[in-house]
Amino acid sequence: MGEEVVHRGTEQIMGFSFNMETLYMTWIAMAIVLLIAFLATRNLKIIPSGWQNVVEIIVLWLHEQLDAMMGQRGRFLAPFIVSLFMFLLVSNWLGLIPKMASPTNDLNTTLALALLVIVMVHVLGLFMKGGHYVAHFFKPTPVFVIINAIEEIAKPITLAFRLFGNILAGEILIVVLLKLMPIWMPIPAVAWLAFSIFIGGVQAVIFTMLSMAYLANAVKHEEEES
């Protein structure tokens, strides 16, 4: 049971192994995000309704979080943060549709997203703070560089495994419940489905908020951090 979620076939292309199901689901998730963006912006109104209203609520909320964490200096990251959150939300919920799978129930996807965020943190830190960014790894004493290095290595690992574990476990349990429960007694499966929708949203929020917190360390002035 749960083989539909756990089993992932790979194909060899030019000596590299590719999980085609994850790739297909990733492209579908991106297409859905683009479709939502199109539906929300095709007929903009002063008083929003429909998809425009939904997307505006998300964008305004994320802008508020960006301003709270980074100030005006972080506004240029808004398109990335909004896109990341929308992709995570759609991806987490995609596997709840029969015959579909969440790209985020594959560790390759979650680790790639986590590494993208951490690489952006260090690139932005060096670009915006220069030598001061490197120096903060040696504070309060040079020996702390070892602890800080371990922390930086742990960040993408914890980001990736938290999202991956929660989404994979939710989809496996849905499959198990649907196999165990008689067709006339779907209440436990439906209840878990609703709970999985909630967890998918929460995990998208957690990943996005932690990403903003890490990026804030690279963007904010030292006086703002203190």
Side-chain angles (χ1 to χ4, degrees), residues 118 125 161 198 203 208:
I118 299 305
F161 274 90
F198 172 74
Q203 289 303 315
T208 305

Side-chain angles (χ1 to χ4, degrees), residues 3-212:
E3 184 181 359
E4 296 91 338
V5 178
V6 177
H7 177 71
R8 291 183 176 274
T10 59
E11 292 187 15
Q12 297 291 324
I13 302 176
M14 299 180 63
F16 296 95
S17 296
F18 291 89
N19 185 334
M20 301 310 296
E21 181 187 47
T22 298
L23 289 176
Y24 295 148
M25 292 298 107
T26 300
W27 281 102
I28 290 173
M30 290 190 293
I32 292 173
V33 172
L34 290 174
L35 178 61
I36 292 172
F38 170 75
L39 293 175
T41 58
R42 64 174 178 170
N43 187 22
L44 294 174
K45 300 176 182 178
I46 297 177
I47 301 177
S49 61
W51 284 108
Q52 181 186 347
N53 194 37
V54 173
V55 173
E56 280 195 12
I57 291 172
I58 293 173
V59 170
L60 289 174
W61 172 69
L62 289 173
H63 276 199
E64 290 175 0
Q65 302 308 312
L66 273 172
D67 289 343
M69 290 186 181
M70 307 182 198
Q72 292 295 321
R73 283 168 61 90
R75 274 298 181 97
F76 75 97
L77 288 169
F80 170 73
I81 294 298
V82 172
S83 300
L84 176 65
F85 177 76
M86 293 296 296
F87 174 77
L88 288 171
L89 195 62
V90 171
S91 296
N92 292 351
W93 287 345
L94 199 58
L96 303 178
I97 302 173
K99 304 300 182 181
M100 305 289 274
S102 296
T104 45
N105 76 11
D106 187 341
L107 186 58
N108 294 295
T109 301
T110 59
L111 188 57
L113 291 171
L115 288 173
L116 171 63
V117 171
I118 299 305
V119 169
M120 284 184 64
V121 168
H122 296 309
V123 170
L124 287 173
L126 289 171
F127 178 76
M128 303 188 78
K129 296 184 178 180
H132 293 289
Y133 180 75
V134 178
H136 94 277
F137 288 103
F138 295 86
K139 295 178 180 180
T141 61
V143 72
F144 269 72
V145 69
I146 300 174
I147 298 175
N148 290 328
I150 295 173
E151 181 184 2
E152 294 303 313
I153 294 172
K155 282 178 181 178
I157 296 174
T158 54
L159 265 181
F161 274 90
R162 181 187 297 108
L163 179 59
F164 160 72
N166 279 279
I167 301 305
L168 181 64
E171 293 185 11
I172 290 176
L173 282 173
I174 287 176
V175 172
V176 171
L177 287 172
L178 288 174
K179 287 182 176 291
L180 291 177
M181 294 297 107
I183 192 170
W184 46 267
M185 191 176 147
I187 296 177
V190 172
W192 186 258
L193 177 62
F195 182 69
S196 295
I197 292 174
F198 172 74
I199 291 298
V202 169
Q203 289 303 315
V205 170
I206 291 175
F207 193 103
T208 305
M209 297 298 288
L210 286 174
S211 299
M212 283 194 283

